[in-house]
Amino acid sequence: MCVNPKNIAILGSTGSIGQSSIAVLKNLRDRFRITYLTTNVNIELLEYQIRQVHPYGVVVLNPSQAEKLKKRIEGVEVLVGTEGLLEVVRRDNVDIVLNALVGFAGLRPTIEAITHRKHIALANKETLVVAGAIVTTLAREYNVPIVPIDSEHSAILQCLTGEERSTVKKIILTASGGPFLNTPAEQFPSITVEEALKHPNWKMGNKITIDSATLMNKGLEVIEAHWLFNLEPQHIEVVIHPQSIIHSMVEFIDGSIKAQLGYPDMKIPIQYALTYPDRLPLEVCTVNFPQLQCLTFLAPDLVKFRCLQLAYDALTLGGTAPAVLNAANEVAVHAFLERKITFDRIPQLIEQSLAAQRNHRVPEFEQTLEADRTTREFVRNLLA
Ligand code: MG
């Protein structure tokens, strides 16, 4: 039993990871107290969470939704907008920031939290994709751990625990392959939003589900792994593993390979990120090997799934290229979800952006923001 529970702010509490985090924390009440919750617009669910969790305060990004919520609840401070998010992560009654925001929006709160010496449990992979060098340098400077929630990176962290980093030969990120693993490339232009939102193994938010269908999610995870584990692109391999039972592997210099396995449930990596390096009991489904019978693997098709190749290219280019990749992807995915472009246009728009945008080799934070802004503008002009 811990005497002083740690205070947690959950950024993006109404999303898929946010909801699972609240479920995990329900059983860790002696160790953690949730002090803040945040949402973009979903005040109905947020109100329900407030009644369950009793936080000190909440942040609603959308100002009109924030006003509505203020009229509906009492005894809980309601902060508004990005300024509210930044305010919350600075406060003394926050020790850990669990960042489950979607996309580029997660970057500034992460930086603000690090510079105020808050520990980071990171589900927002875009933070590291867009500004990996800046964020990891700051984390070292402020001596703040960044513990991944992403299941693949949690798997790598678990495989690395107790190992000397210099003995790592490479890491192998597994990918389910998404819903179009066996769909011929010729059919990609006619893929519907509904088809793309049907992920075979994981239940997630819309943006990441589309990223999983294009394999961009794996591409973003390659870049995330580069920054988290300090590995060059040639030491980060991707293998398709449709059952999503092995969550990733590490190969060592003696030829040994360690893998982390489990039933695909985000509660496992969420709890591990919060209790790391401790391992605590958790009620989840377990793997039934005789029923499963086989685990299969194949190499990713980098021609059909161009996004994964583009992510490797952006990582190799370095500088602001990953920020350009991410911004183009966010605008393209949004346009696809709004049925403004076909599925096969997503990688095309990203490729055009990477070719057109100037690359700053060692970007300052302002140049990263600028790369994001100009790329979004560039893609929107292409779409207009
Ligand atoms: Mg993942």
Side-chain angles (χ1 to χ4, degrees), residues 125 150-152 217 221:
K125 62 191 88 189
D150 212 345
S151 61
E152 293 77 2
N217 184 51
E221 288 178 355

Side-chain angles (χ1 to χ4, degrees), residues 215-325:
L215 288 205
M216 179 53 95
N217 184 51
K218 211 48 55 181
L220 299 178
E221 288 178 355
V222 167
I223 302 173
E224 182 186 8
H226 163 77
W227 292 113
L228 281 172
F229 305 115
N230 194 22
L231 289 163
E232 292 311 309
Q234 65 271 26
H235 299 135
I236 306 169
E237 193 178 308
V238 170
V239 67
I240 305 291
H241 165 49
Q243 296 84 12
S244 296
I245 295 296
I246 297 180
H247 299 306
S248 278
M249 302 179 257
V250 178
E251 185 178 322
F252 296 91
I253 48 173
D254 62 352
S256 278
I257 297 171
K258 282 168 81 174
Q260 186 262 347
L261 291 76
Y263 186 83
D265 185 332
M266 285 308 295
K267 290 205 279 299
I268 300 173
I270 289 168
Q271 175 163 299
Y272 191 74
L274 293 172
T275 63
Y276 172 80
D278 298 341
R279 209 180 270 287
L280 265 64
L282 180 64
E283 289 281 331
V284 282
C285 293
T286 51
V287 178
N288 182 329
F289 284 99
Q291 198 176 62
L292 203 64
Q293 291 188 359
C294 66
L295 299 176
T296 56
F297 306 93
L298 63 156
D301 182 340
L302 295 176
V303 178
K304 194 166 94 168
F305 294 105
R306 181 109 190 99
C307 284
L308 179 54
Q309 180 64 55
L310 291 170
Y312 269 106
D313 293 347
L315 177 57
T316 306
L317 279 169
T320 45
V324 170
L325 173 99

Side-chain angles (χ1 to χ4, degrees), residues 101 108 114 124 142 169 174 181 225 245-246 248 258-259 316 319:
L101 297 171
R108 282 183 66 204
I114 291 172
N124 176 258
Y142 286 88
K169 196 166 162 197
T174 53
L181 181 59
I245 295 296
I246 297 180
S248 278
K258 282 168 81 174
T316 306

